[in-house]
Amino acid sequence: MRAISVSAVLLLLVLCTSSGFALGQKQYVAFSEEPGAFPLVNRGGAAPILVDKNDWAGVTRAAHDLQADVERVTKNRPEFQTGSTASAAHAVVVGTLGRSQLIDQLAREGRIDAAQLSGKWEKFLVQVVEKPWPGTDSALVIAGSDKRGTIYGLYDLSEQIGVSPWYWWADVPVRRHEALYVLPGIYTDGEPAVKYRGIFLNDEAPALSGWAKEKFGGLNHMFYEHVFELLLRLKGNYLWPAMWNNAFNEDDPANPKLADEYGIVMGTSHHEPMLRAQQEWKRHGHGPWDYSLNADVLRAFWAEGVERNKRYESIVTIGMRGDGDMPMSEESNVALLQKIVADQRKILAEHVNPDVTKVPQLWALYKEVQDYFEKGMRVPADVTLLWCDDNWGNIRRLPTAAERNRAGGAGVYYHFDYVGGPRNYKWINTVPITKVQEQMNLAWEYGADRIWIVNVGDLKPMEFPIEFFLNFAWSPKRWPAEKLNDYTRAWTGREFGAAHAAEIASLISEYTKLNGLRKPELLEPTTYSLLNYNEAERQVERWENLAHRAEAVAAALPAESQDAFFELVQHPILAAGIVNKLYVTVGQNRLYALQGRASANLAATQARELFLRDEQLTHRYNDELGGGRWRHMMDQTHLGYTYWQQPPANVMPGVQEVQVRDVAEMAVSVEGSPAAWPGYDPRHSEPTLPILTSTENVARHFDVFNRGRKPFDFTVESNEPWLKISPRSGSAGADTRVTVEADWSKVPADAKEATLTVRGAGETVSLRVPVRKVDVSAIPAGVFVETEKYVAIEAEHFSRAVNAAGITWKLLPDFGRTLSGVTPMPVTAPSQTPGGGSPRLEYEFTSELSGPIVVQTVFAPTLNFQPGRGLRCAISIDDAAPQEIDIAPRKLQDWEQAVSDAARVLSTNHVLAKPGRHVLKFWMIDPGVVLERLVVDFGGVRPSYLGPPESFRGGPVAR
């Protein structure tokens, strides 16, 4: 084996542990001297930065940012020079091909390869060049194919040396280093896969607007300079500005000028045509916003907008919606809209470019506008079709094969924030990047790669998904589903260092998954079952576990990382955890009041305490963090929704209280039932615990509680010695939970039931305890076992994946509501006919039951994104014919339930002719379907939000 030098080992350790790197790219900066490396900073000196005075103003500005970043890292500020050569042994040479004499000279002399840049879009090279001219030993060349290419190269180096793109927006500390060296070689990130990549600041009141007003006096150029810089550091290039009560171009005329100087392509939202803000029409418009009645006024209004902005790089939104982002009147038709588009293009030809095909334009097919397209409306081929999601992260439509040939291409308008039905969600981050990757991968594979823009609300709470969205837009191939955990670890390593990267990455993945189960604004006291599968309690435990882990990480991080960790990780965990626990506690309060528990009043008190904690956490973020640096950024209301629109103030969900008598009165409630005993309803005369099974080996429980004020003693007796009961006695001043388990080594094979007797305060309650002992040694590996009259199966736990016709099955790790997802690949595959040897997943299970069953199938709430085709799959048992399912919702209420639940759950009916071993088959028909879970119900599935826990399966399987 070839010997490895000590210096090489040290360098490897530096590269593996460094917190300064560009995500997913090769590390080319070292922090100690290496042979041939360019000394950016060494021995107390920094190489000067040289920029041609004729280069783009945005390049010069970004080069000054690099100058400041080097100083942030090393406390050495490089000299900034403009000229034809540098008077130093080593120099950083920055420039744009065709704009910088410095770069052009190096290209002519063959010192850099101009062919790698010429004609490319936003590409950069970072390269160490030896002896670029007399008197200079080496140059670090940062060259771009165009203005943004050079700017991205500068910021790429900034990130490599240890300056996070979020150093300003999320207070991420800059890691200090004494020296910086750039390793020899040529480094590039290539060209972006998506041409225009951006964000939409929207729904920005009260949080973002309140913060910006206090810090900058409003959403002016001082505010937007920070937005522009952030976008460029994230390799974005496109912005729809805040528009609720703002007019970007009019409120501060410096806004558009600086955007163009920075290199940001500006646009206006899906319902603001011709570079005019909605607020501008409110301020200056005359007559109705109706082209059939007011065309002359509207044309003049639009002409003013494009004339004002024609010097700046923009994408012009064309078309028209109703005033205030509403549908146009029912009288509006395709012919009128086509006339509107034709007249708008005449305005563009007159005021911007006679060749209107050279003016970038988009038509946003948002909501009802997509219906116009499906009914036959068309726009010229050079216009980009901006397809949209359903406002909940599910893309409604993607280009067909024919549409992919349009010169204007296609894009996607996506959402991390939304105001509308079934409810607003705009408070904190609820976006798992697993969902973003799955949906935007569809967009990329189907050729929607001209524009990607995402509604990020107030920007601040969405830091993590924003960067992923823009990273994925640059290079979708870099981040397939199986590498998303690597992405998250790389991100947290950059922000917080390698020592805690894995744990912080886990915290982010878990909190976004939990928030993705159901957004906080949609929570109700009964969302998670208070009765079955310990669901509500398990959710609270998951949030509390995350909070404890986050607290431990916070205690281990240095002081300079505390604010960033709180903003990016700890606050969303604490905030969502409080809200989840509040709703569960209110649900318990109402259940306990129904049962007459004295502890209902305690639960009411606990709910009020949680409501106060929510307020205190908001105060901590707004007023204490950084001495009020982000005041107002958490002003968004999030508690007390009664319909789609947000409440004017946070409102605690209502609690109930009971009048407690001054006596001792024992009662018992059992897992799985809302009733309590002694009771007054004859239908609940026989309390019965859910079945104890040897396969699941899960404890059951019941509560002994007091309906009065005075405490009492109680005892629990069993008629079978193999039941393990804890506790067997106690004093019930408050509620006491009693757990019941079986010692399976002592349970007879034919045991069916045991009886418990609870005595206290003069009352006696008998409980039935069904049991079932299964010989698991006879269960083959991977075969699921029916217990409790159901078989619950996670999608990835298939017995066989049958590939055919070039189609394979891909696991989407950590996707969806429970464990993961499985989907057929490629996502552009043709539809298949189920049956025979066609692609399918097979799941084996065994059951002692037979007869009618229901199979509940849990899917991602994907929409049928291709016209003329559903979103279909099929289910069959054994050799029965496949039953086709189309998961695309047909009714509004079906869609509302799917996006609220973050899943589409559909059922099919089947019959098992006999007990024994069976095969459940999931057949592919259309691509894009993501399977998450299957539940075979023999009549035993109890109501819950997420469904029963996964069933036992044979073999050496981790439980």
Short mmCIF file of all heavy atoms in Angstrom, two decimals, residues 35-73:
data_model
loop_
_atom_site.label_atom_id
_atom_site.label_comp_id
_atom_site.label_asym_id
_atom_site.label_seq_id
_atom_site.Cartn_x
_atom_site.Cartn_y
_atom_site.Cartn_z
N PRO A 35 1.57 22.33 0.28
CA PRO A 35 2.38 22.57 -0.92
C PRO A 35 1.53 23.04 -2.09
O PRO A 35 0.50 22.45 -2.41
CB PRO A 35 3.00 21.20 -1.22
CG PRO A 35 3.00 20.49 0.10
CD PRO A 35 1.77 20.98 0.82
N GLY A 36 1.93 24.13 -2.69
CA GLY A 36 1.25 24.65 -3.86
C GLY A 36 -0.01 25.43 -3.57
O GLY A 36 -0.66 25.94 -4.50
N ALA A 37 -0.41 25.54 -2.29
CA ALA A 37 -1.64 26.23 -1.95
C ALA A 37 -1.44 27.74 -2.01
O ALA A 37 -0.35 28.26 -1.73
CB ALA A 37 -2.11 25.82 -0.56
N PHE A 38 -2.48 28.43 -2.38
CA PHE A 38 -2.44 29.89 -2.46
C PHE A 38 -2.66 30.48 -1.07
O PHE A 38 -3.65 30.16 -0.41
CB PHE A 38 -3.52 30.39 -3.42
CG PHE A 38 -3.62 31.89 -3.48
CD1 PHE A 38 -2.79 32.61 -4.34
CD2 PHE A 38 -4.52 32.58 -2.69
CE1 PHE A 38 -2.86 33.99 -4.39
CE2 PHE A 38 -4.59 33.96 -2.74
CZ PHE A 38 -3.76 34.67 -3.59
N PRO A 39 -1.77 31.36 -0.61
CA PRO A 39 -1.91 31.94 0.73
C PRO A 39 -2.87 33.13 0.73
O PRO A 39 -2.46 34.27 0.52
CB PRO A 39 -0.48 32.37 1.06
CG PRO A 39 0.13 32.70 -0.27
CD PRO A 39 -0.51 31.77 -1.27
N LEU A 40 -4.13 32.85 0.96
CA LEU A 40 -5.10 33.95 1.04
C LEU A 40 -4.82 34.82 2.25
O LEU A 40 -4.83 36.05 2.18
CB LEU A 40 -6.52 33.35 1.10
CG LEU A 40 -7.69 34.34 1.12
CD1 LEU A 40 -7.67 35.24 -0.11
CD2 LEU A 40 -9.01 33.58 1.19
N VAL A 41 -4.56 34.18 3.38
CA VAL A 41 -4.10 34.86 4.58
C VAL A 41 -3.05 33.97 5.23
O VAL A 41 -3.31 32.79 5.47
CB VAL A 41 -5.24 35.14 5.58
CG1 VAL A 41 -4.68 35.76 6.86
CG2 VAL A 41 -6.30 36.04 4.97
N ASN A 42 -1.87 34.53 5.49
CA ASN A 42 -0.84 33.79 6.23
C ASN A 42 0.12 34.76 6.87
O ASN A 42 0.30 35.89 6.40
CB ASN A 42 -0.11 32.80 5.33
CG ASN A 42 0.85 33.48 4.37
OD1 ASN A 42 0.69 34.64 4.04
ND2 ASN A 42 1.84 32.74 3.89
N ARG A 43 0.68 34.34 7.96
CA ARG A 43 1.68 35.11 8.69
C ARG A 43 1.23 36.56 8.91
O ARG A 43 1.99 37.51 8.76
CB ARG A 43 3.02 35.09 7.96
CG ARG A 43 3.57 33.67 7.79
CD ARG A 43 4.92 33.66 7.08
NE ARG A 43 5.37 32.30 6.88
CZ ARG A 43 5.06 31.57 5.80
NH1 ARG A 43 4.29 32.08 4.85
NH2 ARG A 43 5.51 30.34 5.69
N GLY A 44 -0.04 36.70 9.21
CA GLY A 44 -0.56 38.02 9.54
C GLY A 44 -0.86 38.91 8.37
O GLY A 44 -1.25 40.08 8.55
N GLY A 45 -0.71 38.43 7.16
CA GLY A 45 -0.99 39.25 5.99
C GLY A 45 -2.01 38.62 5.08
O GLY A 45 -2.13 37.39 5.02
N ALA A 46 -2.77 39.44 4.38
CA ALA A 46 -3.81 38.97 3.48
C ALA A 46 -3.50 39.39 2.05
O ALA A 46 -3.03 40.51 1.81
CB ALA A 46 -5.17 39.54 3.88
N ALA A 47 -3.72 38.49 1.12
CA ALA A 47 -3.51 38.82 -0.29
C ALA A 47 -4.51 39.88 -0.73
O ALA A 47 -5.69 39.81 -0.39
CB ALA A 47 -3.68 37.56 -1.14
N PRO A 48 -4.07 40.89 -1.49
CA PRO A 48 -4.99 41.93 -1.95
C PRO A 48 -6.00 41.37 -2.94
O PRO A 48 -5.76 40.36 -3.60
CB PRO A 48 -4.06 42.95 -2.61
CG PRO A 48 -2.87 42.16 -3.03
CD PRO A 48 -2.70 41.10 -1.98
N ILE A 49 -7.13 42.05 -3.03
CA ILE A 49 -8.19 41.67 -3.97
C ILE A 49 -8.19 42.67 -5.10
O ILE A 49 -8.30 43.89 -4.89
CB ILE A 49 -9.56 41.65 -3.27
CG1 ILE A 49 -9.56 40.61 -2.14
CG2 ILE A 49 -10.68 41.36 -4.27
CD1 ILE A 49 -10.81 40.64 -1.28
N LEU A 50 -8.05 42.18 -6.32
CA LEU A 50 -7.91 43.02 -7.50
C LEU A 50 -9.11 42.85 -8.41
O LEU A 50 -9.44 41.74 -8.83
CB LEU A 50 -6.62 42.62 -8.25
CG LEU A 50 -6.24 43.41 -9.50
CD1 LEU A 50 -6.03 44.88 -9.18
CD2 LEU A 50 -4.99 42.81 -10.13
N VAL A 51 -9.78 43.96 -8.73
CA VAL A 51 -10.98 43.95 -9.58
C VAL A 51 -10.81 45.02 -10.65
O VAL A 51 -10.41 46.16 -10.34
CB VAL A 51 -12.25 44.22 -8.77
CG1 VAL A 51 -13.49 44.16 -9.66
CG2 VAL A 51 -12.40 43.23 -7.63
N ASP A 52 -11.11 44.69 -11.87
CA ASP A 52 -11.10 45.67 -12.96
C ASP A 52 -12.16 46.73 -12.70
O ASP A 52 -13.31 46.41 -12.41
CB ASP A 52 -11.37 44.95 -14.28
CG ASP A 52 -11.09 45.84 -15.50
OD1 ASP A 52 -11.56 46.99 -15.51
OD2 ASP A 52 -10.41 45.36 -16.43
N LYS A 53 -11.78 47.99 -12.85
CA LYS A 53 -12.72 49.08 -12.56
C LYS A 53 -13.89 49.09 -13.53
O LYS A 53 -14.93 49.71 -13.27
CB LYS A 53 -12.00 50.42 -12.60
CG LYS A 53 -11.45 50.84 -13.95
CD LYS A 53 -10.76 52.19 -13.87
CE LYS A 53 -10.31 52.72 -15.22
NZ LYS A 53 -9.35 51.81 -15.90
N ASN A 54 -13.76 48.40 -14.66
CA ASN A 54 -14.84 48.36 -15.66
C ASN A 54 -15.76 47.16 -15.49
O ASN A 54 -16.69 47.00 -16.28
CB ASN A 54 -14.24 48.35 -17.07
CG ASN A 54 -13.51 49.62 -17.39
OD1 ASN A 54 -14.02 50.72 -17.11
ND2 ASN A 54 -12.31 49.50 -17.96
N ASP A 55 -15.49 46.35 -14.50
CA ASP A 55 -16.36 45.19 -14.28
C ASP A 55 -17.70 45.68 -13.71
O ASP A 55 -17.87 46.84 -13.35
CB ASP A 55 -15.70 44.18 -13.35
CG ASP A 55 -16.09 42.74 -13.66
OD1 ASP A 55 -17.26 42.52 -14.03
OD2 ASP A 55 -15.24 41.84 -13.54
N TRP A 56 -18.63 44.76 -13.62
CA TRP A 56 -19.97 45.09 -13.12
C TRP A 56 -19.89 45.66 -11.70
O TRP A 56 -19.10 45.20 -10.88
CB TRP A 56 -20.85 43.85 -13.10
CG TRP A 56 -21.09 43.24 -14.44
CD1 TRP A 56 -20.47 42.13 -14.95
CD2 TRP A 56 -22.02 43.67 -15.43
NE1 TRP A 56 -20.94 41.85 -16.21
CE2 TRP A 56 -21.92 42.78 -16.52
CE3 TRP A 56 -22.93 44.72 -15.50
CZ2 TRP A 56 -22.67 42.92 -17.68
CZ3 TRP A 56 -23.69 44.86 -16.64
CH2 TRP A 56 -23.57 43.97 -17.72
N ALA A 57 -20.74 46.64 -11.43
CA ALA A 57 -20.77 47.22 -10.08
C ALA A 57 -21.11 46.15 -9.04
O ALA A 57 -20.60 46.19 -7.91
CB ALA A 57 -21.78 48.37 -10.03
N GLY A 58 -21.97 45.22 -9.41
CA GLY A 58 -22.33 44.16 -8.48
C GLY A 58 -21.16 43.26 -8.16
O GLY A 58 -21.06 42.72 -7.04
N VAL A 59 -20.25 43.05 -9.13
CA VAL A 59 -19.05 42.26 -8.87
C VAL A 59 -18.14 42.99 -7.89
O VAL A 59 -17.63 42.39 -6.93
CB VAL A 59 -18.32 41.96 -10.19
CG1 VAL A 59 -16.93 41.37 -9.92
CG2 VAL A 59 -19.14 41.00 -11.05
N THR A 60 -17.95 44.29 -8.11
CA THR A 60 -17.12 45.07 -7.19
C THR A 60 -17.71 45.05 -5.79
O THR A 60 -16.99 44.89 -4.79
CB THR A 60 -17.02 46.52 -7.70
OG1 THR A 60 -16.42 46.52 -9.00
CG2 THR A 60 -16.18 47.37 -6.76
N ARG A 61 -19.01 45.18 -5.70
CA ARG A 61 -19.66 45.17 -4.39
C ARG A 61 -19.47 43.83 -3.69
O ARG A 61 -19.13 43.78 -2.50
CB ARG A 61 -21.16 45.48 -4.56
CG ARG A 61 -21.89 45.73 -3.26
CD ARG A 61 -23.35 45.35 -3.38
NE ARG A 61 -23.49 43.95 -3.76
CZ ARG A 61 -23.30 42.93 -2.92
NH1 ARG A 61 -22.97 43.16 -1.66
NH2 ARG A 61 -23.46 41.69 -3.33
N ALA A 62 -19.66 42.73 -4.42
CA ALA A 62 -19.49 41.41 -3.82
C ALA A 62 -18.03 41.15 -3.45
O ALA A 62 -17.75 40.45 -2.47
CB ALA A 62 -19.99 40.33 -4.78
N ALA A 63 -17.10 41.70 -4.23
CA ALA A 63 -15.69 41.56 -3.88
C ALA A 63 -15.39 42.26 -2.56
O ALA A 63 -14.56 41.79 -1.76
CB ALA A 63 -14.81 42.12 -4.99
N HIS A 64 -16.05 43.38 -2.32
CA HIS A 64 -15.93 44.03 -1.01
C HIS A 64 -16.50 43.14 0.10
O HIS A 64 -15.99 43.14 1.23
CB HIS A 64 -16.62 45.39 -1.03
CG HIS A 64 -15.80 46.49 -1.64
ND1 HIS A 64 -14.62 46.94 -1.09
CD2 HIS A 64 -15.98 47.21 -2.79
CE1 HIS A 64 -14.11 47.90 -1.84
NE2 HIS A 64 -14.91 48.08 -2.88
N ASP A 65 -17.56 42.39 -0.21
CA ASP A 65 -18.08 41.44 0.78
C ASP A 65 -17.04 40.37 1.10
O ASP A 65 -16.88 39.97 2.26
CB ASP A 65 -19.36 40.78 0.26
CG ASP A 65 -20.59 41.67 0.45
OD1 ASP A 65 -20.48 42.71 1.11
OD2 ASP A 65 -21.66 41.30 -0.09
N LEU A 66 -16.32 39.88 0.07
CA LEU A 66 -15.26 38.91 0.33
C LEU A 66 -14.18 39.54 1.20
O LEU A 66 -13.67 38.90 2.13
CB LEU A 66 -14.65 38.42 -0.99
CG LEU A 66 -13.45 37.48 -0.85
CD1 LEU A 66 -13.84 36.19 -0.13
CD2 LEU A 66 -12.84 37.18 -2.21
N GLN A 67 -13.85 40.78 0.92
CA GLN A 67 -12.87 41.49 1.74
C GLN A 67 -13.31 41.50 3.21
O GLN A 67 -12.53 41.20 4.12
CB GLN A 67 -12.73 42.92 1.22
CG GLN A 67 -11.76 43.79 1.99
CD GLN A 67 -11.83 45.24 1.53
OE1 GLN A 67 -12.91 45.74 1.18
NE2 GLN A 67 -10.69 45.91 1.53
N ALA A 68 -14.61 41.82 3.43
CA ALA A 68 -15.13 41.85 4.80
C ALA A 68 -15.17 40.46 5.40
O ALA A 68 -14.90 40.29 6.60
CB ALA A 68 -16.52 42.47 4.80
N ASP A 69 -15.48 39.44 4.59
CA ASP A 69 -15.56 38.08 5.10
C ASP A 69 -14.18 37.57 5.53
O ASP A 69 -14.05 36.88 6.56
CB ASP A 69 -16.15 37.15 4.04
CG ASP A 69 -17.63 37.39 3.81
OD1 ASP A 69 -18.27 38.04 4.67
OD2 ASP A 69 -18.16 36.94 2.77
N VAL A 70 -13.16 37.87 4.76
CA VAL A 70 -11.80 37.47 5.15
C VAL A 70 -11.44 38.11 6.48
O VAL A 70 -10.85 37.47 7.37
CB VAL A 70 -10.79 37.84 4.05
CG1 VAL A 70 -9.36 37.63 4.55
CG2 VAL A 70 -11.03 37.00 2.80
N GLU A 71 -11.82 39.36 6.64
CA GLU A 71 -11.54 40.04 7.90
C GLU A 71 -12.34 39.42 9.04
O GLU A 71 -11.84 39.28 10.16
CB GLU A 71 -11.86 41.53 7.78
CG GLU A 71 -11.50 42.32 9.03
CD GLU A 71 -11.78 43.81 8.88
OE1 GLU A 71 -12.59 44.18 8.00
OE2 GLU A 71 -11.20 44.59 9.65
N ARG A 72 -13.59 39.03 8.78
CA ARG A 72 -14.39 38.38 9.81
C ARG A 72 -13.72 37.10 10.31
O ARG A 72 -13.75 36.78 11.50
CB ARG A 72 -15.78 38.04 9.28
CG ARG A 72 -16.69 39.24 9.05
CD ARG A 72 -18.09 38.79 8.61
NE ARG A 72 -18.97 39.93 8.43
CZ ARG A 72 -19.31 40.44 7.25
NH1 ARG A 72 -18.84 39.89 6.13
NH2 ARG A 72 -20.10 41.50 7.17
N VAL A 73 -13.14 36.36 9.38
CA VAL A 73 -12.56 35.07 9.74
C VAL A 73 -11.19 35.22 10.39
O VAL A 73 -10.88 34.53 11.37
CB VAL A 73 -12.45 34.17 8.48
CG1 VAL A 73 -11.69 32.88 8.79
CG2 VAL A 73 -13.84 33.85 7.94
#
